[in-house]
Amino acid sequence: PTTLYAGTRGNGIFRSTDGGTSWEAAKEGLTNPYVYALAIDPTVPTTLYAGTFHFISTIGGVFKSTDGGATWSEAGLTNLDVRSLAIAPRTPSTLYAGTKGGGVFKSTDGGATWEAASTGLTNLDINAVAINPKAPKTLYGGSNGGVFKSMKGGVSAWEEEH
């Protein structure tokens, strides 16, 4: 409970191990300093994912750390702005990424591979992704145009919820 992480817009990721009293850079291998989203594996809290902004001079997408943020490596979607990340609570190797212009993507192998999970989305700028913890196949995606819901883990069509 005393370990905290903060993603920044332009300075990468910082970690505190004393409840926020002091902070240190936690960005070795993180080639993109624009971090929009962080997600921590609920069963192995030293495994983290970062969603970053893609622009001409940097790789965007998802980065992964398995050592509490000490080092990072690319974990896919490198040509996209990843705005949000969600980890399935019962199967933490399943991740969802909300992107700008690409909709939602799903990984079932801890970010090694990704597949589009956007069928039915009428807005592909997804700023937030949430998983219902009591019904983990139920996902919500938030965009500037409304909220969408998928009842089958993003596999079936999304429906607009408003």
Side-chain angles (χ1 to χ4, degrees), residues 29 64 68:
K64 181 178 182 176

Side-chain angles (χ1 to χ4, degrees), residues 99-114:
T99 68
K100 179 181 181 189
V104 176
F105 289 83
K106 179 180 183 178
S107 174
T108 58
D109 54 13
T113 61
W114 294 87

Side-chain angles (χ1 to χ4, degrees), residues 11-160:
N11 288 309
I13 298 171
F14 291 85
R15 174 182 54 220
S16 173
T17 57
D18 58 10
T21 300
S22 62
W23 294 85
E24 63 184 1
K27 52 191 173 183
E28 183 180 323
L30 185 70
T31 58
N32 188 321
Y34 294 90
V35 178
Y36 282 134
L38 288 172
I40 301 171
D41 184 317
T43 59
V44 183
T46 55
T47 298
L48 301 102
Y49 299 88
T52 63
F53 176 77
H54 169 73
F55 55 96
I56 296 169
S57 63
T58 63
I59 292 173
V62 178
F63 288 81
K64 181 178 182 176
S65 174
T66 57
D67 56 12
T71 60
W72 295 86
S73 60
E74 292 175 20
L77 304 179
T78 57
N79 60 338
L80 292 170
D81 294 348
V82 176
R83 299 285 176 96
S84 59
L85 294 167
I87 298 176
R90 295 182 191 156
T91 54
S93 61
T94 299
L95 311 166
Y96 297 92
T99 68
K100 179 181 181 189
V104 176
F105 289 83
K106 179 180 183 178
S107 174
T108 58
D109 54 13
T113 61
W114 294 87
E115 63 183 60
S118 300
T119 302
L121 287 175
T122 57
N123 186 331
L124 297 179
D125 290 336
I126 302 298
N127 297 315
V129 177
I131 301 170
N132 182 335
K134 293 184 179 181
K137 295 275 186 191
T138 302
L139 306 176
Y140 296 91
S143 72
N144 292 342
V147 177
F148 299 89
K149 181 179 181 180
S150 171
M151 299 289 286
K152 294 190 178 181
V155 175
S156 65
W158 291 77
E159 298 176 6
E160 192 165 353

